Amino acid sequence: MQDLLASALAPRSVAVIGASENIHKIGGRPIHYMQRHGFQGAIYPINPAREEIQGHRSYASLAALPEAPDLAVIALGGDRTVAAVEECAARGVKGAVVIASGFGETGPAGRELQDHMVARARAAGMRLYGPNTQGLANFGTGAIAGFSTMFIEVPPQDGPVSIVSQSGGMSSMVYGLLRGRGLGVRHVHATGNEADVTVAEMAWAVAHDPDVKLLLLYLENIARPDMLAAAAAYARERDLPIVAVKAGRTAGGQKAASSHTGALANEDRAVDAFLKHHGIWRVRDPHEQARAAQAYLKGWRPEGRRLVVISNSGASCVMGADAADDAGLTLAPLSEATQAAVASKLPGFATASNPIDVTAALLSNSGLFGDVLPAVAQDPAADLFFLNIPVAGAGYDVDRFARDAAAFEAATAKPVAVAAWQESVAAPFRAHGIATFPNEGEAIAVLAQVAGHTALMRAPRTAWPDLPDVQVPAGAQGFLNEVDSLDLLARHGVPTVPLRLCRTADEARAAFDAIGAPAVVKACSADVPHKSEHGLVALNVQTREQAAELFERFWAKMDAMGVQRDGVIVAATRKARREFMVGARMDPVFGPVVVVGDGGKYVEALKDCAVLLPPFSEPDVQAALRTLRIAPLLGGVRGEPPLDVQALSRIAVAAGRVIAGARGAIASLDLNPVMVGAAGEGAVVVDALVEVSKQ
């Protein structure tokens, strides 16, 4: 695969089918761009109506070429595109860029044509890029097999950033934003409908370019999660950050994505979990991608998330502290020695604790930033530095501020970001290579992003080398009943509530005698997965005769409902400090997915849950729990003890191992409620539902 993709990224020859003399037409742009940006290979325009195009001999057909080109750009419309793909496949072309739209994104008829092109390409060993694509561009080799107007509007410059996008418009937008910040861009590739080659495969290929230092992705679906996971793993090995925009976060966005590229957007929580699991940082839009690019290219890899705020304004110190809290950063607790060193550099009325207010004394002593920064740098609590300059101008030696900040950053390799809304102040900092932003929110958000992404890329990877052999009962279909569901989980290490399955009133009496009061009595039927909705659950059962009476009532009601009567459960009552839920399902794209969160009867309404992708560890579960709205309750509040999150985490890991170990035989698990006690008291599953996969 890699060799075939290399034929598109660094082809020795390119044919343009539908070539034009006019550089502002789709068939003229690739030729113009390749000539302008130093492509060293052969360029073969194909247009039977012309003998020469843009200084190159024009050929009547692909068959007339002196060789089979590595890459063909098909700049034709309608049925002519399909015929051109067939001709390329027959001629031995290694890759074809299909620019035309009107295929899979339009509906079944277009999908059929698209599938036909892919089948012909694959039969011949040819890769297909698109259709409905803006094309490919590698400014390292000059191979520009695309037509983006942005390459005229904003002149290209080779550099360490690469863009791979399903959308041509988004690839051009990110390119323009980066170039507007003075950053060079090497790869700009749009995969369009992804009939064959996907963003994941292009990301894999681009990640192997040793000169690429930052990889930006735009996704509307994730068609090859296995390949994207492999690309991310390789990127982590070589310390290459990947930052992604995944559109289709909402129902409206998912519908738009389907009409745009023919993609079906993946469920958003699962997408979040997948990207996080593989060390890919997700942002909301291309502006956020471009905003943080310079910080990544500086090679910042902070050890932690502790921030030092320095300003010449007390109010800006306060706002910096607020922005840090919003971004999830903590103010570094400076040591007494550090504060003393800082105080020795400042006037007596200045603030030496963090945030550090150097005051208006900066006007008379332009060396204060240069004095304070080194004094703080030695403090082990200082990971990140933020300079907030709300006002400066006449009388201020702003260039010295910038020189001192740059010297500090170079000497310590500590991340430094500046907020300066005045262009006259911001310009000197930018000129000295300092990451500079118009406000504290953007500056601190970038520091937080790089710190968070560094931790994500460095996080240890969990392995599950010995999955259990999980077998569902022979012949099972639909849902297992509650007893079989709990039994399956218990066999694989999940703590479950003591219970007995009864088929007579006398068995219910005996079960109550063994379990004791108060007990829970429930109907058990694989046909009734949600028993409480039918009045088939009774709590706080106090006597054996009450248990027998409930048996008779539930048995008769199941008969009246016409459902399978597997029995009646008599179970022990288990109380909890808090009810949680653990769920798992087989996602059609990502495979096993586990959900953990607040439980009970309102779980579907409140949706306070987090998603994890196996394999994961108990600490991973605990980190996910800390993202919930109920997270403050985990440690105990208002005199309540902390909850046993370790026991809950063990259950979540066990559930993940069960669904992974079932190897597709289980469609979903629903453990709700999971009764969690105070720390050390454990957790137990009191109700569970296992859904068997359809055969």
Side-chain angles (χ1 to χ4, degrees):
M1 182 205 70
Q2 206 169 339
D3 290 342
L4 287 173
L5 292 188
S7 70
L9 302 184
R12 294 167 299 176
S13 54
V14 179
V16 179
I17 303 174
S20 173
E21 181 69 24
N22 187 339
I23 68 169
H24 296 303
K25 289 189 174 180
I26 289 175
R29 287 277 175 83
I31 299 170
H32 172 68
Y33 287 152
M34 284 188 284
Q35 292 183 139
R36 185 173 178 179
H37 298 295
F39 179 62
Q40 297 299 306
I43 300 174
Y44 297 124
I46 297 178
N47 185 333
R50 301 185 69 93
E51 295 184 357
E52 183 179 291
I53 293 178
Q54 297 185 43
H56 296 270
R57 176 186 171 185
S58 178
Y59 295 83
S61 67
L62 198 64
L65 298 183
E67 61 175 331
D70 282 348
L71 185 67
V73 180
I74 301 175
L76 301 172
D79 294 340
R80 298 170 66 199
T81 295
V82 178
V85 169
E86 294 173 339
E87 187 180 3
C88 287
R91 185 71 168 87
V93 175
K94 294 179 180 178
V97 179
V98 180
I99 290 173
S101 57
F103 292 95
E105 78 279 8
T106 63
R111 169 69 66 178
E112 185 176 347
L113 284 175
Q114 182 172 293
D115 291 345
H116 171 76
M117 290 192 297
V118 173
R120 292 299 299 268
R122 288 178 177 169
M126 182 177 76
R127 300 308 302 268
L128 201 67
Y129 303 86
N132 188 26
T133 177
Q134 195 166 269
L136 315 176
N138 180 351
F139 292 105
T141 63
I144 320 297
F147 66 94
S148 174
T149 300
M150 193 60 67
F151 302 154
I152 293 176
E153 297 297 314
V154 183
Q157 175 185 317
D158 188 17
V161 187
S162 290
I163 304 159
V164 182
S165 168
Q166 280 182 260
S167 163
M170 287 299 101
S171 69
S172 293
M173 180 180 180
V174 179
Y175 162 86
L177 290 169
L178 292 167
R179 292 294 299 118
R181 291 174 178 265
L183 300 176
V185 181
R186 169 158 294 186
H187 297 274
V188 186
H189 306 308
T191 57
N193 284 8
E194 299 195 334
D196 179 20
V197 177
T198 65
V199 163
E201 290 175 283
M202 293 299 289
W204 166 265
V206 168
H208 283 74
D209 185 332
D211 293 325
V212 172
K213 305 302 180 187
L214 175 63
L215 178 53
L216 307 179
L217 308 180
Y218 172 85
L219 304 158
E220 288 176 0
N221 75 331
I222 301 177
R224 288 289 308 274
D226 57 334
M227 183 56 64
L228 188 53
Y234 179 76
R236 288 196 309 273
E237 287 179 12
R238 57 163 294 217
D239 196 31
L240 170 65
I242 302 178
V243 181
V245 171
K246 168 59 177 70
R249 293 179 293 104
T250 64
Q254 290 171 7
K255 182 178 180 181
S258 179
S259 64
H260 181 204
T261 63
L264 291 176
N266 311 121
E267 199 278 323
D268 202 56
R269 288 184 192 243
V271 170
D272 262 344
F274 174 85
L275 296 176
K276 183 176 182 180
H277 188 79
H278 294 290
I280 299 172
W281 192 265
R282 184 179 185 182
V283 295
R284 292 178 65 89
D285 57 47
H287 294 278
E288 289 190 18
Q289 286 182 311
R291 186 177 69 189
Q294 182 187 9
Y296 283 108
L297 296 178
K298 283 175 169 289
W300 290 350
R301 301 295 184 268
E303 294 298 323
R305 300 176 63 84
R306 296 165 299 184
L307 176 71
V308 176
V309 176
I310 305 172
S311 180
N312 60 331
S313 161
S316 293
C317 286
V318 174
M319 293 183 69
D322 286 343
D325 190 67
D326 290 341
L329 299 179
T330 59
L331 292 179
L334 301 179
S335 68
E336 291 184 6
T338 299
Q339 292 186 52
V342 171
S344 70
K345 306 294 184 182
L346 296 177
F349 53 85
T351 303
S353 60
N354 189 20
I356 300 170
D357 180 8
V358 301
T359 74
L362 186 64
L363 178 59
S364 57
N365 182 359
S366 295
L368 284 180
F369 282 144
D371 290 339
V372 168
L373 285 168
V376 182
Q378 304 307 314
D379 196 304
D383 300 314
L384 310 161
F385 289 81
F386 168 56
L387 305 183
N388 200 354
I389 307 175
V391 62
Y396 288 91
D397 190 350
V398 177
D399 194 64
R400 181 174 178 182
F401 304 162
R403 288 198 311 272
D404 288 346
F408 167 80
E409 184 181 69
T412 64
K414 299 267 189 178
V416 179
V418 171
W421 66 271
Q422 292 173 276
E423 179 58 26
S424 60
V425 178
F429 281 98
R430 284 199 298 266
H432 284 84
I434 298 294
T436 305
F437 304 89
N439 57 69
E440 64 273 349
E442 291 187 31
I444 290 178
V446 167
L447 291 172
Q449 176 177 330
V450 174
H453 200 176
T454 298
L456 192 62
M457 292 176 67
R458 291 178 175 173
R461 304 288 143 179
T462 300
W464 289 350
D466 55 342
L467 285 175
D469 182 18
V470 179
Q471 300 290 329
V472 300
Q477 296 181 352
F479 293 98
L480 301 185
N481 67 38
E482 182 178 344
V483 171
D484 289 341
S485 295
L486 288 169
D487 181 62
L488 184 149
L489 292 167
R491 290 199 306 270
H492 297 288
V494 177
T496 58
V497 67
L499 58 79
R500 290 192 179 186
L501 181 64
C502 309
R503 294 188 60 83
T504 67
D506 284 342
E507 288 181 359
R509 293 185 181 94
F512 180 87
D513 291 341
I515 287 171
V520 177
V521 178
K522 299 183 278 188
C524 183
S525 172
D527 295 337
V528 188
H530 303 293
K531 299 175 288 294
S532 60
E533 296 177 5
H534 299 278
L536 293 172
V537 178
L539 307 177
N540 197 31
V541 178
Q542 295 291 335
T543 69
R544 65 197 311 267
E545 292 307 318
Q546 187 181 3
E549 179 186 339
L550 286 166
F551 174 90
E552 299 287 6
R553 185 194 311 167
F554 291 169
W555 192 258
K557 186 164 185 177
M558 285 190 286
D559 185 47
M561 292 170 63
V563 299
Q564 176 178 311
R565 295 187 292 182
D566 297 324
V568 173
I569 297 168
V570 178
T573 296
R574 288 291 183 266
K575 294 185 178 180
R577 292 284 180 178
R578 185 88 187 178
E579 294 183 5
F580 285 83
M581 61 80 63
V582 175
R585 65 181 174 86
M586 289 298 295
D587 186 273
V589 174
F590 302 117
V593 173
V594 175
V595 182
V596 59
D598 199 14
K601 63 181 181 179
Y602 299 121
V603 61
E604 293 180 358
L606 299 179
K607 298 180 180 178
D608 189 15
C609 59
V611 179
L612 300 106
L613 265 64
F616 54 84
S617 65
E618 291 177 25
D620 292 332
V621 179
Q622 292 162 28
L625 290 170
R626 288 193 291 271
T627 69
L628 302 180
R629 291 192 297 275
I630 62 164
L633 306 181
L634 302 178
V637 295
R638 300 182 68 85
E640 295 178 353
L643 300 178
D644 200 335
V645 293
Q646 290 184 329
L648 175 60
S649 299
R650 285 194 294 272
I651 290 174
V653 170
R657 289 174 56 80
V658 166
I659 195 164
R663 295 171 173 83
I666 292 176
S668 69
L669 302 171
D670 183 7
L671 287 56
N672 182 33
V674 179
M675 313 298 276
V676 179
E681 293 180 352
V684 63
V685 178
V686 300
D687 197 352
L689 190 64
V690 174
E691 182 185 6
V692 179
S693 296
K694 296 179 180 179
Q695 302 299 323

